Amino acid sequence: METRKVYMDYNATTPLHPAVKDAMVRDLELYANASSMHQDGRAARARVEEARRAVAELIGAGADPERVVFTSGGSESNNTVFATAFHLGRKGPRRAIITTSIEHPCVLNAALWLKDEGFPVTFLKVDQHGKIDMDEFKAALGPETLLVSIMAANNEIGTIQDLAEIGRLAKAAGALFHSDATQAAGKIPVGVDEWKADYLTLSCHKIYGPKGVGALYIRKGAPIEPLIRGGHQEHGHRAGTYNNVGILGFGEAARLAKAELAEYAARVGALRNRLRDGIVAAIPKVKVNGHPVQVLPNTLNVSFPGAEGEAILLYLDLAGIEVSTGSACASGSLEPSHVLLATGVGPELAHGSIRFSLGRLSTEDDVDYVLSILPGVIKRLRAMSTVEA
Amino acid sequence: MSDAFNWLYSDVVKDHFMNPKNVYEPDEGFKADAQGMTGNVKCGDQMLFMLKVKDDVIEDVRWKTYGCASAIASTSMLSEVIKGMGIREAYNIKPEDIVKRLGGLPDNKIHCSVLGDKALRAAIDDHLAKTGREGAFRNEGVKIICTCLNISDRDIEDAVKQGARDWEGLQERTKIGTVCGGCKKEAEELLHEYVHIFAED
């Protein structure tokens, strides 16, 4: 059987960039504790600080690299922000949290935790394209608003929010502003000053670096409560021995992401459009989800009425094509994608949705191979379906 | 139980998924004597079973589904098993028998496999009704609790025997109460009763 492999699940994770791998292998034996004072320790620490500068530069914080704190990943970064809100809200007059209904589960569940603890939490609705309603946001903001946490770009549909305007409004209301930029970084320009972000979450493995490393940007003067208490690492904001090799891999990945951003967006965006146009032309009655323009260049989410998502995914998988789905069956829950449901896509369409996320190794041949397989899969599933397409 | 991450690649499951048997094709001119539909597309799966029955024996069968890979594979297997079988015996096939023949499915996929079984029962009920014996097999101690998904007291009992201990566990295995939810009170009472009787721990 043909063993061709086409990976189109870059929003789930990315392969290591060869240059990142080289950098990590080169320093793999640099075992010294980056907190140690001796020369090997200082050498390790120098690498960590070099990486910190590269990560800071990726998000427009190059002038202030020490505001970047390394963590174990996006989930830890996001949870640190919500833990901070918990401590602030218990002491101060501001207690209200504003977030959206389409956040990643680590933000949604952290917000639900605060709700359980008695904090007023607003989950903003989104429109059919996945954009928040600015009027609803303005109405929710008030003197009691403690934290606004709104993702920069959505992982499932790729919709990009109006971060500069959101940040401006949040700051005008005196609230702290956090954005989960896990999916945005390396795909679109990210600027903590343009967005007026007090906190910004990053994950390394989404930008061709290793898993198990992330970062939290904390603006100077913004309060922070450590999630992990212990030693004095990261100015006491995040204890734990430095993950030297992971961190320097993150630095190299961030440097490359910044250097390659324009080329990446143009090239991957063209491939994504080729895939989208090919699907729309070859398969009747599909629905492209997400925003038509304000969308990550690599992300394409499509619903195929009459065909169930997990079955589509696994027929594609048998042909070597790796994607993800918003179907409940694939998630192990009874509910399909909360993001698609929030955009008003009915459960019937959400169960039949597929996310194609492309990346730096995607090629025109990959796209054409998917276009040669996918129409047959959908036709076949629709033929055996009890549901009219 | 097969490995949770490699279930698709058991040769039996893979074969039934890639080449499902007895799928209904409109051009074929299959004339069904009886049919039954179960499930709801809002929940992500729906199944239609069509039967040719002679002298209470299933002569031939076709099915259609809006469903995932395990629903497709398990229904394909079920459709092979019941050919030539008496309707009473077919009515009493348990989903776990089919899962066993497939070489097992991971726990989170079991509920996908019950759909074919339920659609089959609905089709047999349809046959019984058409031959003047409406509900004849329901006297075998089965009572429908969840009318949306055609889930009986026996299904709840079976789910408890397989490890369901609470409402979530019961839903995981049977999908009960996921459409209108109107059966929850009655189902929970049965659940507690069966947990009391069958749960060892």
Side-chain angles (χ1 to χ4, degrees), chain A residues 310 315 317 329 380 384, chain B residues 9 17-18 42 46 65 109:
Chain A
E310 195 220 54
Y315 277 127
D317 187 41
C329 231
R380 184 168 184 207
M384 71 164 87
Chain B
Y9 301 102
F17 176 55
M18 290 187 80
K42 285 202 170 75
Q46 187 173 54
T65 190
K109 292 287 165 196

Side-chain angles (χ1 to χ4, degrees), chain A residues 132-150:
Chain A
I132 65 163
D133 179 341
M134 293 304 264
D135 288 333
E136 190 197 3
F137 177 47
K138 283 179 206 162
L141 277 169
E144 72 290 350
T145 307
L146 170 63
L147 174 71
V148 172
S149 178
I150 294 179

Side-chain angles (χ1 to χ4, degrees), chain A residues 309-331:
Chain A
E310 195 220 54
I312 302 171
L313 182 150
L314 290 172
Y315 277 127
L316 292 177
D317 187 41
L318 289 169
I321 299 166
E322 299 182 322
V323 298
S324 71
T325 173
S327 154
C329 231
S331 69

Side-chain angles (χ1 to χ4, degrees), chain B residues 45-172:
Chain B
D45 45 18
Q46 187 173 54
M47 185 74 66
L48 172 71
F49 238 95
M50 306 160 89
L51 301 176
K52 260 194 213 297
V53 186
K54 196 178 175 192
D55 301 332
D56 281 355
V57 171
I58 296 169
E59 284 200 313
D60 206 356
V61 51
R62 293 291 182 275
W63 57 275
K64 290 177 83 171
T65 190
Y66 177 91
C68 63
S70 7
I72 291 171
S74 56
T75 307
S76 172
M77 175 62 90
L78 176 64
S79 71
E80 288 285 272
V81 168
I82 60 168
K83 268 196 219 174
M85 191 180 266
I87 54 170
R88 185 180 290 267
E89 192 186 349
Y91 200 88
N92 285 294
I93 284 181
K94 289 188 169 12
E96 50 264 43
D97 299 335
I98 299 303
V99 170
K100 208 174 284 172
R101 282 171 184 268
L102 286 171
L105 287 173
D107 284 346
N108 65 335
K109 292 287 165 196
I110 298 288
H111 79 89
C112 310
S113 72
V114 307
L115 207 65
D117 167 77
K118 303 225 167 295
L120 170 61
R121 280 197 212 169
I124 294 172
D125 282 335
D126 182 44
H127 170 72
L128 291 171
K130 281 176 173 164
T131 51
R133 293 170 288 169
E134 182 156 11
F137 292 172
R138 298 223 177 140
N139 295 332
E140 299 179 12
V142 175
K143 183 187 173 199
I144 302 303
I145 306 299
C146 169
T147 49
C148 297
L149 294 172
N150 200 33
I151 292 165
S152 69
D153 54 351
R154 190 161 68 187
D155 296 318
I156 297 173
E157 178 184 327
D158 289 346
V160 171
K161 285 175 177 168
Q162 289 163 21
R165 293 293 176 267
D166 53 19
W167 179 243
E168 283 73 23
L170 184 63
Q171 281 196 319
E172 229 169 72

Side-chain angles (χ1 to χ4, degrees), chain A residues 1 23 31 45-46 56 60 84 110 140 171 175 183 241 270 275 279 283 286:
Chain A
M1 204 177 119
Y31 65 88
R45 182 58 176 270
T84 298
K171 293 319 293 174
Q183 292 292 343
T241 298
L275 179 63
I279 289 173
I283 306 173
V286 300

